[in-house]
Short mmCIF file of all heavy atoms in Angstrom, two decimals:
data_model
loop_
_atom_site.label_atom_id
_atom_site.label_comp_id
_atom_site.label_asym_id
_atom_site.label_seq_id
_atom_site.Cartn_x
_atom_site.Cartn_y
_atom_site.Cartn_z
N MET O 1 -24.98 -27.22 -1.17
CA MET O 1 -24.15 -28.04 -0.31
C MET O 1 -23.56 -29.18 -1.13
O MET O 1 -24.27 -29.83 -1.90
CB MET O 1 -24.98 -28.57 0.86
CG MET O 1 -24.21 -29.49 1.76
SD MET O 1 -25.22 -29.93 3.17
CE MET O 1 -24.03 -29.70 4.42
N ARG O 2 -22.31 -29.43 -0.93
CA ARG O 2 -21.63 -30.48 -1.70
C ARG O 2 -21.88 -31.85 -1.07
O ARG O 2 -21.84 -32.01 0.15
CB ARG O 2 -20.14 -30.19 -1.74
CG ARG O 2 -19.41 -31.21 -2.57
CD ARG O 2 -18.00 -30.83 -2.83
NE ARG O 2 -17.38 -31.93 -3.56
CZ ARG O 2 -16.13 -31.99 -3.86
NH1 ARG O 2 -15.34 -31.03 -3.50
NH2 ARG O 2 -15.66 -33.01 -4.52
N VAL O 3 -22.08 -32.82 -1.93
CA VAL O 3 -22.27 -34.20 -1.48
C VAL O 3 -21.00 -34.97 -1.83
O VAL O 3 -20.56 -34.98 -2.99
CB VAL O 3 -23.49 -34.84 -2.17
CG1 VAL O 3 -23.64 -36.29 -1.74
CG2 VAL O 3 -24.75 -34.06 -1.88
N TYR O 4 -20.41 -35.57 -0.83
CA TYR O 4 -19.18 -36.33 -1.02
C TYR O 4 -19.50 -37.81 -1.23
O TYR O 4 -20.41 -38.35 -0.61
CB TYR O 4 -18.27 -36.17 0.20
CG TYR O 4 -17.76 -34.76 0.37
CD1 TYR O 4 -18.39 -33.88 1.26
CD2 TYR O 4 -16.67 -34.31 -0.34
CE1 TYR O 4 -17.94 -32.59 1.42
CE2 TYR O 4 -16.20 -33.01 -0.19
CZ TYR O 4 -16.83 -32.16 0.68
OH TYR O 4 -16.38 -30.89 0.83
N SER O 5 -18.69 -38.41 -2.10
CA SER O 5 -18.90 -39.83 -2.36
C SER O 5 -17.82 -40.71 -1.73
O SER O 5 -17.92 -41.93 -1.77
CB SER O 5 -18.96 -40.09 -3.86
OG SER O 5 -17.76 -39.70 -4.47
N SER O 6 -16.77 -40.04 -1.15
CA SER O 6 -15.72 -40.83 -0.51
C SER O 6 -15.01 -39.99 0.55
O SER O 6 -15.07 -38.76 0.54
CB SER O 6 -14.70 -41.33 -1.54
OG SER O 6 -13.96 -40.25 -2.05
N PHE O 7 -14.32 -40.68 1.43
CA PHE O 7 -13.55 -39.99 2.46
C PHE O 7 -12.35 -39.27 1.84
O PHE O 7 -11.89 -38.25 2.35
CB PHE O 7 -13.08 -40.96 3.54
CG PHE O 7 -14.18 -41.37 4.48
CD1 PHE O 7 -14.70 -42.65 4.46
CD2 PHE O 7 -14.70 -40.46 5.38
CE1 PHE O 7 -15.72 -43.02 5.32
CE2 PHE O 7 -15.72 -40.82 6.26
CZ PHE O 7 -16.23 -42.11 6.23
N GLU O 8 -11.86 -39.77 0.71
CA GLU O 8 -10.73 -39.13 0.03
C GLU O 8 -11.11 -37.72 -0.44
O GLU O 8 -10.32 -36.78 -0.36
CB GLU O 8 -10.27 -39.97 -1.17
CG GLU O 8 -9.53 -41.24 -0.79
CD GLU O 8 -10.48 -42.39 -0.43
OE1 GLU O 8 -11.66 -42.38 -0.85
OE2 GLU O 8 -10.04 -43.27 0.33
N GLU O 9 -12.32 -37.57 -0.94
CA GLU O 9 -12.80 -36.26 -1.36
C GLU O 9 -12.88 -35.31 -0.18
O GLU O 9 -12.51 -34.13 -0.27
CB GLU O 9 -14.16 -36.37 -2.03
CG GLU O 9 -14.14 -37.01 -3.39
CD GLU O 9 -15.53 -37.12 -4.00
OE1 GLU O 9 -16.49 -36.53 -3.45
OE2 GLU O 9 -15.66 -37.79 -5.04
N ILE O 10 -13.37 -35.81 0.94
CA ILE O 10 -13.46 -34.99 2.15
C ILE O 10 -12.08 -34.59 2.61
O ILE O 10 -11.82 -33.41 2.92
CB ILE O 10 -14.21 -35.76 3.27
CG1 ILE O 10 -15.65 -36.01 2.85
CG2 ILE O 10 -14.15 -34.98 4.58
CD1 ILE O 10 -16.42 -36.92 3.77
N ASP O 11 -11.16 -35.54 2.64
CA ASP O 11 -9.78 -35.24 3.05
C ASP O 11 -9.13 -34.21 2.12
O ASP O 11 -8.43 -33.31 2.57
CB ASP O 11 -8.94 -36.52 3.08
CG ASP O 11 -9.28 -37.42 4.26
OD1 ASP O 11 -9.87 -36.91 5.24
OD2 ASP O 11 -8.96 -38.63 4.19
N LYS O 12 -9.37 -34.36 0.83
CA LYS O 12 -8.81 -33.42 -0.14
C LYS O 12 -9.32 -32.01 0.12
O LYS O 12 -8.55 -31.05 0.17
CB LYS O 12 -9.17 -33.86 -1.56
CG LYS O 12 -8.64 -32.93 -2.63
CD LYS O 12 -9.13 -33.36 -4.00
CE LYS O 12 -8.79 -32.30 -5.03
NZ LYS O 12 -9.45 -32.52 -6.30
N ASP O 13 -10.62 -31.86 0.30
CA ASP O 13 -11.19 -30.54 0.57
C ASP O 13 -10.70 -29.98 1.90
O ASP O 13 -10.46 -28.78 2.02
CB ASP O 13 -12.72 -30.60 0.55
CG ASP O 13 -13.28 -30.51 -0.86
OD1 ASP O 13 -12.49 -30.35 -1.82
OD2 ASP O 13 -14.52 -30.60 -1.00
N LEU O 14 -10.56 -30.82 2.90
CA LEU O 14 -10.04 -30.36 4.19
C LEU O 14 -8.61 -29.86 4.07
O LEU O 14 -8.23 -28.85 4.67
CB LEU O 14 -10.13 -31.47 5.23
CG LEU O 14 -11.53 -31.78 5.75
CD1 LEU O 14 -11.50 -33.01 6.66
CD2 LEU O 14 -12.12 -30.59 6.47
N LYS O 15 -7.79 -30.56 3.27
CA LYS O 15 -6.41 -30.11 3.06
C LYS O 15 -6.38 -28.76 2.34
O LYS O 15 -5.61 -27.87 2.69
CB LYS O 15 -5.63 -31.15 2.24
CG LYS O 15 -5.26 -32.37 3.03
CD LYS O 15 -4.52 -33.38 2.16
CE LYS O 15 -4.24 -34.67 2.93
NZ LYS O 15 -3.57 -35.68 2.10
N ILE O 16 -7.25 -28.62 1.34
CA ILE O 16 -7.33 -27.35 0.61
C ILE O 16 -7.74 -26.22 1.54
O ILE O 16 -7.15 -25.14 1.53
CB ILE O 16 -8.29 -27.48 -0.59
CG1 ILE O 16 -7.69 -28.39 -1.65
CG2 ILE O 16 -8.63 -26.11 -1.17
CD1 ILE O 16 -8.65 -28.76 -2.77
N LEU O 17 -8.74 -26.46 2.36
CA LEU O 17 -9.20 -25.44 3.31
C LEU O 17 -8.11 -25.08 4.32
O LEU O 17 -7.93 -23.91 4.67
CB LEU O 17 -10.46 -25.92 4.03
CG LEU O 17 -11.72 -25.96 3.18
CD1 LEU O 17 -12.86 -26.62 3.96
CD2 LEU O 17 -12.12 -24.57 2.73
N LYS O 18 -7.37 -26.07 4.75
CA LYS O 18 -6.29 -25.82 5.70
C LYS O 18 -5.21 -24.95 5.05
O LYS O 18 -4.71 -23.99 5.66
CB LYS O 18 -5.68 -27.14 6.18
CG LYS O 18 -4.58 -26.96 7.19
CD LYS O 18 -4.02 -28.29 7.65
CE LYS O 18 -2.87 -28.05 8.61
NZ LYS O 18 -2.24 -29.29 9.01
N LEU O 19 -4.86 -25.27 3.81
CA LEU O 19 -3.86 -24.47 3.10
C LEU O 19 -4.36 -23.04 2.86
O LEU O 19 -3.60 -22.08 3.00
CB LEU O 19 -3.49 -25.14 1.78
CG LEU O 19 -2.67 -26.41 1.90
CD1 LEU O 19 -2.54 -27.08 0.52
CD2 LEU O 19 -1.30 -26.13 2.48
N GLN O 20 -5.62 -22.90 2.51
CA GLN O 20 -6.19 -21.56 2.32
C GLN O 20 -6.15 -20.76 3.61
O GLN O 20 -5.86 -19.56 3.60
CB GLN O 20 -7.61 -21.66 1.79
CG GLN O 20 -7.70 -22.08 0.35
CD GLN O 20 -9.12 -22.28 -0.14
OE1 GLN O 20 -10.04 -22.48 0.65
NE2 GLN O 20 -9.30 -22.25 -1.45
N THR O 21 -6.41 -21.42 4.73
CA THR O 21 -6.35 -20.75 6.02
C THR O 21 -4.93 -20.30 6.33
O THR O 21 -4.71 -19.18 6.81
CB THR O 21 -6.85 -21.70 7.13
OG1 THR O 21 -8.18 -22.10 6.81
CG2 THR O 21 -6.83 -21.03 8.49
N GLU O 22 -3.95 -21.14 6.04
CA GLU O 22 -2.55 -20.78 6.27
C GLU O 22 -2.13 -19.60 5.40
O GLU O 22 -1.44 -18.69 5.86
CB GLU O 22 -1.64 -21.98 6.01
CG GLU O 22 -1.76 -23.07 7.06
CD GLU O 22 -0.89 -24.29 6.74
OE1 GLU O 22 0.12 -24.14 6.03
OE2 GLU O 22 -1.24 -25.38 7.21
N ILE O 23 -2.58 -19.61 4.13
CA ILE O 23 -2.28 -18.50 3.24
C ILE O 23 -2.89 -17.20 3.77
O ILE O 23 -2.24 -16.15 3.79
CB ILE O 23 -2.78 -18.81 1.81
CG1 ILE O 23 -1.92 -19.90 1.19
CG2 ILE O 23 -2.76 -17.54 0.94
CD1 ILE O 23 -2.49 -20.44 -0.12
N ASP O 24 -4.13 -17.26 4.21
CA ASP O 24 -4.79 -16.08 4.77
C ASP O 24 -4.06 -15.54 5.99
O ASP O 24 -3.88 -14.33 6.15
CB ASP O 24 -6.24 -16.40 5.12
CG ASP O 24 -7.11 -16.63 3.89
OD1 ASP O 24 -6.72 -16.21 2.78
OD2 ASP O 24 -8.19 -17.24 4.05
N LYS O 25 -3.60 -16.44 6.85
CA LYS O 25 -2.85 -16.02 8.04
C LYS O 25 -1.56 -15.32 7.65
O LYS O 25 -1.19 -14.29 8.23
CB LYS O 25 -2.54 -17.22 8.94
CG LYS O 25 -3.72 -17.74 9.70
CD LYS O 25 -3.33 -18.95 10.55
CE LYS O 25 -4.51 -19.56 11.27
NZ LYS O 25 -4.14 -20.74 12.07
N GLU O 26 -0.85 -15.86 6.66
CA GLU O 26 0.40 -15.26 6.20
C GLU O 26 0.15 -13.88 5.58
O GLU O 26 0.93 -12.95 5.78
CB GLU O 26 1.13 -16.17 5.22
CG GLU O 26 1.71 -17.40 5.85
CD GLU O 26 2.73 -17.10 6.93
OE1 GLU O 26 3.58 -16.20 6.75
OE2 GLU O 26 2.68 -17.78 7.97
N GLU O 27 -0.94 -13.74 4.83
CA GLU O 27 -1.28 -12.45 4.26
C GLU O 27 -1.57 -11.42 5.35
O GLU O 27 -1.18 -10.26 5.24
CB GLU O 27 -2.48 -12.58 3.32
CG GLU O 27 -2.14 -13.25 2.01
CD GLU O 27 -3.35 -13.41 1.09
OE1 GLU O 27 -4.50 -13.31 1.57
OE2 GLU O 27 -3.13 -13.65 -0.10
N ILE O 28 -2.24 -11.84 6.40
CA ILE O 28 -2.53 -10.94 7.52
C ILE O 28 -1.22 -10.53 8.20
O ILE O 28 -1.02 -9.35 8.51
CB ILE O 28 -3.50 -11.60 8.52
CG1 ILE O 28 -4.88 -11.70 7.90
CG2 ILE O 28 -3.55 -10.83 9.83
CD1 ILE O 28 -5.87 -12.52 8.70
N LYS O 29 -0.32 -11.49 8.40
CA LYS O 29 0.98 -11.17 9.01
C LYS O 29 1.74 -10.16 8.17
O LYS O 29 2.32 -9.21 8.70
CB LYS O 29 1.82 -12.44 9.18
CG LYS O 29 1.36 -13.36 10.28
CD LYS O 29 2.26 -14.59 10.33
CE LYS O 29 1.76 -15.65 11.28
NZ LYS O 29 2.62 -16.86 11.24
N LEU O 30 1.75 -10.35 6.85
CA LEU O 30 2.43 -9.41 5.96
C LEU O 30 1.80 -8.02 6.03
O LEU O 30 2.51 -7.01 6.07
CB LEU O 30 2.41 -9.92 4.52
CG LEU O 30 3.33 -11.08 4.20
CD1 LEU O 30 3.08 -11.59 2.78
CD2 LEU O 30 4.78 -10.68 4.35
N SER O 31 0.49 -7.97 6.06
CA SER O 31 -0.20 -6.68 6.14
C SER O 31 0.15 -5.96 7.44
O SER O 31 0.38 -4.76 7.46
CB SER O 31 -1.71 -6.87 6.05
OG SER O 31 -2.07 -7.35 4.79
N ILE O 32 0.18 -6.71 8.53
CA ILE O 32 0.53 -6.12 9.83
C ILE O 32 1.95 -5.59 9.80
O ILE O 32 2.23 -4.47 10.26
CB ILE O 32 0.32 -7.14 10.96
CG1 ILE O 32 -1.17 -7.40 11.16
CG2 ILE O 32 0.96 -6.66 12.26
CD1 ILE O 32 -1.49 -8.55 12.10
N ASP O 33 2.88 -6.38 9.25
CA ASP O 33 4.28 -5.95 9.17
C ASP O 33 4.42 -4.69 8.31
O ASP O 33 5.16 -3.77 8.67
CB ASP O 33 5.16 -7.07 8.61
CG ASP O 33 5.36 -8.20 9.61
OD1 ASP O 33 5.10 -8.00 10.82
OD2 ASP O 33 5.78 -9.30 9.17
N GLN O 34 3.71 -4.64 7.18
CA GLN O 34 3.77 -3.47 6.32
C GLN O 34 3.20 -2.24 7.01
O GLN O 34 3.73 -1.14 6.88
CB GLN O 34 3.03 -3.73 5.00
CG GLN O 34 3.74 -4.71 4.10
CD GLN O 34 2.90 -5.11 2.90
OE1 GLN O 34 1.71 -4.86 2.83
NE2 GLN O 34 3.55 -5.77 1.94
N THR O 35 2.13 -2.43 7.76
CA THR O 35 1.53 -1.32 8.49
C THR O 35 2.48 -0.82 9.57
O THR O 35 2.67 0.39 9.73
CB THR O 35 0.19 -1.75 9.12
OG1 THR O 35 -0.68 -2.21 8.09
CG2 THR O 35 -0.46 -0.61 9.87
N LYS O 36 3.09 -1.74 10.31
CA LYS O 36 4.05 -1.35 11.34
C LYS O 36 5.21 -0.58 10.72
O LYS O 36 5.66 0.43 11.26
CB LYS O 36 4.60 -2.58 12.07
CG LYS O 36 3.65 -3.18 13.06
CD LYS O 36 4.29 -4.39 13.73
CE LYS O 36 3.37 -5.08 14.70
NZ LYS O 36 4.01 -6.27 15.30
N GLU O 37 5.69 -1.06 9.57
CA GLU O 37 6.81 -0.40 8.91
C GLU O 37 6.44 1.00 8.44
O GLU O 37 7.22 1.93 8.59
CB GLU O 37 7.26 -1.24 7.71
CG GLU O 37 8.51 -0.75 7.05
CD GLU O 37 8.95 -1.66 5.92
OE1 GLU O 37 9.01 -2.88 6.14
OE2 GLU O 37 9.23 -1.14 4.83
N SER O 38 5.25 1.15 7.90
CA SER O 38 4.84 2.46 7.40
C SER O 38 4.57 3.44 8.54
O SER O 38 4.62 4.65 8.34
CB SER O 38 3.61 2.34 6.51
OG SER O 38 2.49 1.95 7.25
N LEU O 39 4.27 2.92 9.74
CA LEU O 39 4.01 3.80 10.89
C LEU O 39 5.21 3.97 11.80
O LEU O 39 5.10 4.61 12.84
CB LEU O 39 2.82 3.26 11.69
CG LEU O 39 1.48 3.27 10.98
CD1 LEU O 39 0.41 2.62 11.86
CD2 LEU O 39 1.06 4.67 10.60
N SER O 40 6.35 3.43 11.41
CA SER O 40 7.54 3.56 12.24
C SER O 40 8.00 5.02 12.24
O SER O 40 7.77 5.77 11.29
CB SER O 40 8.67 2.66 11.73
OG SER O 40 9.18 3.17 10.52
N PRO O 41 8.64 5.46 13.33
CA PRO O 41 9.10 6.85 13.40
C PRO O 41 10.01 7.24 12.24
O PRO O 41 9.89 8.33 11.69
CB PRO O 41 9.85 6.91 14.73
CG PRO O 41 9.26 5.81 15.54
CD PRO O 41 8.89 4.74 14.57
N VAL O 42 10.91 6.36 11.85
CA VAL O 42 11.83 6.67 10.76
C VAL O 42 11.05 6.89 9.47
O VAL O 42 11.32 7.84 8.72
CB VAL O 42 12.87 5.53 10.59
CG1 VAL O 42 13.71 5.75 9.36
CG2 VAL O 42 13.73 5.41 11.83
N SER O 43 10.09 6.03 9.20
CA SER O 43 9.29 6.16 7.98
C SER O 43 8.45 7.43 8.01
O SER O 43 8.35 8.13 7.01
CB SER O 43 8.39 4.93 7.83
OG SER O 43 7.57 5.06 6.71
N LEU O 44 7.84 7.71 9.15
CA LEU O 44 7.03 8.93 9.26
C LEU O 44 7.87 10.19 9.08
O LEU O 44 7.46 11.12 8.39
CB LEU O 44 6.31 8.96 10.61
CG LEU O 44 5.20 7.93 10.80
CD1 LEU O 44 4.68 7.96 12.23
CD2 LEU O 44 4.08 8.16 9.81
N ILE O 45 9.05 10.21 9.68
CA ILE O 45 9.94 11.37 9.54
C ILE O 45 10.38 11.51 8.09
O ILE O 45 10.39 12.61 7.53
CB ILE O 45 11.14 11.25 10.50
CG1 ILE O 45 10.67 11.42 11.94
CG2 ILE O 45 12.21 12.28 10.17
CD1 ILE O 45 11.72 11.09 12.98
N GLY O 46 10.75 10.38 7.49
CA GLY O 46 11.18 10.41 6.09
C GLY O 46 10.10 10.93 5.16
O GLY O 46 10.36 11.75 4.28
N SER O 47 8.88 10.45 5.34
CA SER O 47 7.80 10.91 4.47
C SER O 47 7.46 12.37 4.73
O SER O 47 7.14 13.11 3.80
CB SER O 47 6.56 10.02 4.63
OG SER O 47 6.05 10.12 5.93
N THR O 48 7.57 12.81 5.98
CA THR O 48 7.30 14.21 6.30
C THR O 48 8.34 15.11 5.67
O THR O 48 8.00 16.13 5.06
CB THR O 48 7.29 14.41 7.83
OG1 THR O 48 6.30 13.56 8.40
CG2 THR O 48 7.00 15.85 8.18
N ILE O 49 9.60 14.73 5.78
CA ILE O 49 10.67 15.52 5.18
C ILE O 49 10.53 15.54 3.66
O ILE O 49 10.68 16.60 3.04
CB ILE O 49 12.05 14.97 5.61
CG1 ILE O 49 12.28 15.26 7.10
CG2 ILE O 49 13.17 15.58 4.78
CD1 ILE O 49 13.51 14.61 7.68
N GLY O 50 10.21 14.39 3.08
CA GLY O 50 10.00 14.34 1.63
C GLY O 50 8.87 15.24 1.19
O GLY O 50 8.96 15.93 0.17
N SER O 51 7.81 15.26 1.95
CA SER O 51 6.66 16.10 1.63
C SER O 51 7.03 17.58 1.72
O SER O 51 6.65 18.39 0.86
CB SER O 51 5.51 15.79 2.57
OG SER O 51 4.43 16.64 2.34
N ILE O 52 7.79 17.94 2.75
CA ILE O 52 8.21 19.34 2.93
C ILE O 52 9.10 19.77 1.77
O ILE O 52 8.93 20.86 1.21
CB ILE O 52 8.93 19.52 4.29
CG1 ILE O 52 7.91 19.37 5.42
CG2 ILE O 52 9.63 20.87 4.36
CD1 ILE O 52 8.54 19.29 6.80
N ILE O 53 10.03 18.90 1.39
CA ILE O 53 10.93 19.23 0.28
C ILE O 53 10.14 19.39 -1.02
O ILE O 53 10.36 20.33 -1.79
CB ILE O 53 12.03 18.16 0.14
CG1 ILE O 53 12.99 18.25 1.33
CG2 ILE O 53 12.78 18.31 -1.18
CD1 ILE O 53 13.99 17.12 1.40
N GLN O 54 9.20 18.49 -1.24
CA GLN O 54 8.39 18.56 -2.46
C GLN O 54 7.59 19.86 -2.49
O GLN O 54 7.54 20.54 -3.52
CB GLN O 54 7.45 17.36 -2.52
CG GLN O 54 6.60 17.32 -3.77
CD GLN O 54 5.65 16.14 -3.79
OE1 GLN O 54 5.41 15.53 -2.75
NE2 GLN O 54 5.10 15.83 -4.94
N LYS O 55 6.99 20.23 -1.38
CA LYS O 55 6.21 21.47 -1.34
C LYS O 55 7.10 22.69 -1.54
O LYS O 55 6.72 23.65 -2.20
CB LYS O 55 5.44 21.56 -0.03
CG LYS O 55 4.28 20.60 0.03
CD LYS O 55 3.55 20.65 1.35
CE LYS O 55 2.44 19.60 1.35
NZ LYS O 55 1.71 19.55 2.60
N ALA O 56 8.31 22.63 -0.97
CA ALA O 56 9.24 23.75 -1.14
C ALA O 56 9.64 23.91 -2.61
O ALA O 56 9.72 25.03 -3.12
CB ALA O 56 10.48 23.54 -0.27
N LEU O 57 9.89 22.79 -3.28
CA LEU O 57 10.26 22.86 -4.70
C LEU O 57 9.10 23.38 -5.55
O LEU O 57 9.31 24.19 -6.46
CB LEU O 57 10.69 21.47 -5.20
CG LEU O 57 12.02 20.96 -4.63
CD1 LEU O 57 12.26 19.53 -5.08
CD2 LEU O 57 13.16 21.86 -5.04
N VAL O 58 7.90 22.95 -5.26
CA VAL O 58 6.73 23.45 -6.00
C VAL O 58 6.54 24.94 -5.75
O VAL O 58 6.30 25.71 -6.68
CB VAL O 58 5.46 22.65 -5.62
CG1 VAL O 58 4.21 23.32 -6.15
CG2 VAL O 58 5.56 21.22 -6.10
N LEU O 59 6.68 25.36 -4.50
CA LEU O 59 6.54 26.78 -4.17
C LEU O 59 7.60 27.60 -4.90
O LEU O 59 7.30 28.68 -5.42
CB LEU O 59 6.65 26.97 -2.65
CG LEU O 59 6.46 28.38 -2.14
CD1 LEU O 59 5.06 28.88 -2.50
CD2 LEU O 59 6.67 28.43 -0.65
N LYS O 60 8.82 27.10 -4.95
CA LYS O 60 9.89 27.81 -5.64
C LYS O 60 9.59 27.91 -7.13
O LYS O 60 9.78 28.97 -7.73
CB LYS O 60 11.22 27.09 -5.41
CG LYS O 60 12.41 27.83 -5.94
CD LYS O 60 13.71 27.16 -5.53
CE LYS O 60 14.89 27.97 -6.02
NZ LYS O 60 16.16 27.39 -5.60
N ALA O 61 9.12 26.82 -7.72
CA ALA O 61 8.80 26.84 -9.15
C ALA O 61 7.65 27.81 -9.43
O ALA O 61 7.70 28.58 -10.40
CB ALA O 61 8.44 25.43 -9.61
N VAL O 62 6.64 27.78 -8.59
CA VAL O 62 5.50 28.69 -8.78
C VAL O 62 5.93 30.14 -8.62
O VAL O 62 5.54 31.01 -9.39
CB VAL O 62 4.36 28.33 -7.81
CG1 VAL O 62 3.29 29.41 -7.78
CG2 VAL O 62 3.74 27.00 -8.18
N SER O 63 6.77 30.40 -7.64
CA SER O 63 7.22 31.78 -7.43
C SER O 63 8.07 32.26 -8.60
O SER O 63 8.01 33.44 -8.98
CB SER O 63 7.98 31.92 -6.12
OG SER O 63 9.18 31.18 -6.15
N LYS O 64 8.84 31.36 -9.22
CA LYS O 64 9.61 31.76 -10.41
C LYS O 64 8.67 32.08 -11.56
O LYS O 64 8.88 33.05 -12.29
CB LYS O 64 10.57 30.63 -10.82
CG LYS O 64 11.82 30.58 -10.01
CD LYS O 64 12.79 29.57 -10.59
CE LYS O 64 14.08 29.57 -9.79
NZ LYS O 64 15.09 28.67 -10.37
N ILE O 65 7.64 31.26 -11.73
CA ILE O 65 6.69 31.51 -12.81
C ILE O 65 5.95 32.83 -12.58
O ILE O 65 5.81 33.64 -13.49
CB ILE O 65 5.67 30.34 -12.93
CG1 ILE O 65 6.40 29.09 -13.43
CG2 ILE O 65 4.53 30.70 -13.86
CD1 ILE O 65 5.56 27.83 -13.36
N ILE O 66 5.52 33.06 -11.35
CA ILE O 66 4.83 34.31 -11.02
C ILE O 66 5.78 35.48 -11.17
O ILE O 66 5.41 36.54 -11.67
CB ILE O 66 4.23 34.24 -9.60
CG1 ILE O 66 3.09 33.23 -9.57
CG2 ILE O 66 3.75 35.61 -9.15
CD1 ILE O 66 2.54 32.95 -8.20
N GLY O 67 7.03 35.30 -10.78
CA GLY O 67 8.03 36.36 -10.94
C GLY O 67 8.24 36.70 -12.40
O GLY O 67 8.36 37.86 -12.78
N VAL O 68 8.27 35.71 -13.27
CA VAL O 68 8.42 35.95 -14.71
C VAL O 68 7.21 36.69 -15.24
O VAL O 68 7.34 37.62 -16.02
CB VAL O 68 8.62 34.60 -15.46
CG1 VAL O 68 8.51 34.79 -16.96
CG2 VAL O 68 9.94 33.97 -15.08
N LYS O 69 6.02 36.34 -14.79
CA LYS O 69 4.82 37.02 -15.23
C LYS O 69 4.83 38.48 -14.79
O LYS O 69 4.40 39.36 -15.53
CB LYS O 69 3.56 36.31 -14.72
CG LYS O 69 3.28 35.01 -15.42
CD LYS O 69 2.00 34.41 -14.92
CE LYS O 69 1.71 33.10 -15.65
NZ LYS O 69 0.47 32.49 -15.18
N LYS O 70 5.33 38.75 -13.59
CA LYS O 70 5.39 40.13 -13.11
C LYS O 70 6.34 40.94 -13.97
O LYS O 70 6.08 42.08 -14.30
CB LYS O 70 5.84 40.17 -11.64
CG LYS O 70 4.77 39.75 -10.67
CD LYS O 70 5.28 39.87 -9.25
CE LYS O 70 4.23 39.42 -8.26
NZ LYS O 70 4.72 39.49 -6.88
N VAL O 71 7.47 40.34 -14.35
CA VAL O 71 8.43 41.04 -15.19
C VAL O 71 7.82 41.32 -16.55
O VAL O 71 7.94 42.41 -17.09
CB VAL O 71 9.73 40.20 -15.33
CG1 VAL O 71 10.65 40.80 -16.38
CG2 VAL O 71 10.44 40.10 -14.01
N ILE O 72 7.13 40.36 -17.12
CA ILE O 72 6.49 40.53 -18.42
C ILE O 72 5.40 41.60 -18.32
O ILE O 72 5.30 42.48 -19.17
CB ILE O 72 5.90 39.21 -18.94
CG1 ILE O 72 7.04 38.24 -19.26
CG2 ILE O 72 5.03 39.42 -20.16
CD1 ILE O 72 6.57 36.83 -19.58
N ALA O 73 4.62 41.58 -17.28
CA ALA O 73 3.54 42.55 -17.10
C ALA O 73 4.11 43.95 -16.91
O ALA O 73 3.57 44.91 -17.44
CB ALA O 73 2.67 42.16 -15.91
N SER O 74 5.22 44.09 -16.18
CA SER O 74 5.78 45.41 -15.94
C SER O 74 6.43 45.98 -17.19
O SER O 74 6.50 47.18 -17.35
CB SER O 74 6.77 45.37 -14.78
OG SER O 74 7.87 44.56 -15.12
N THR O 75 6.94 45.14 -18.07
CA THR O 75 7.55 45.64 -19.30
C THR O 75 6.52 46.06 -20.33
O THR O 75 6.80 46.87 -21.19
CB THR O 75 8.49 44.58 -19.93
OG1 THR O 75 7.73 43.40 -20.20
CG2 THR O 75 9.64 44.26 -19.03
N LYS O 76 5.30 45.53 -20.24
CA LYS O 76 4.23 45.89 -21.17
C LYS O 76 3.66 47.26 -20.86
O LYS O 76 3.09 47.91 -21.71
CB LYS O 76 3.11 44.84 -21.17
CG LYS O 76 3.52 43.56 -21.85
CD LYS O 76 2.35 42.60 -21.88
CE LYS O 76 2.76 41.30 -22.57
NZ LYS O 76 1.67 40.34 -22.60
N GLU O 77 3.77 47.69 -19.65
CA GLU O 77 3.15 48.96 -19.23
C GLU O 77 3.94 50.13 -19.66
O GLU O 77 4.84 50.43 -20.12
CB GLU O 77 2.99 49.00 -17.71
CG GLU O 77 2.00 48.01 -17.24
CD GLU O 77 1.90 47.97 -15.71
OE1 GLU O 77 2.61 48.72 -15.02
OE2 GLU O 77 1.09 47.21 -15.22
#
């Protein structure tokens, strides 16, 4: 426990605590806003479409690689 020797020290610490509380409140507000933004319908649709496109491109690339392997395997026989 801290021992204060003057009211100025107490006031200084109280001001610091008040500012820290305000900073914490602002951080919470920002987190809430970011969460709301990430859960918005537009954001969810955008991320879903992006995910579908990414999976389609990977599937296409894999099928090309597998197709090349089939051609190579059939020519060896």
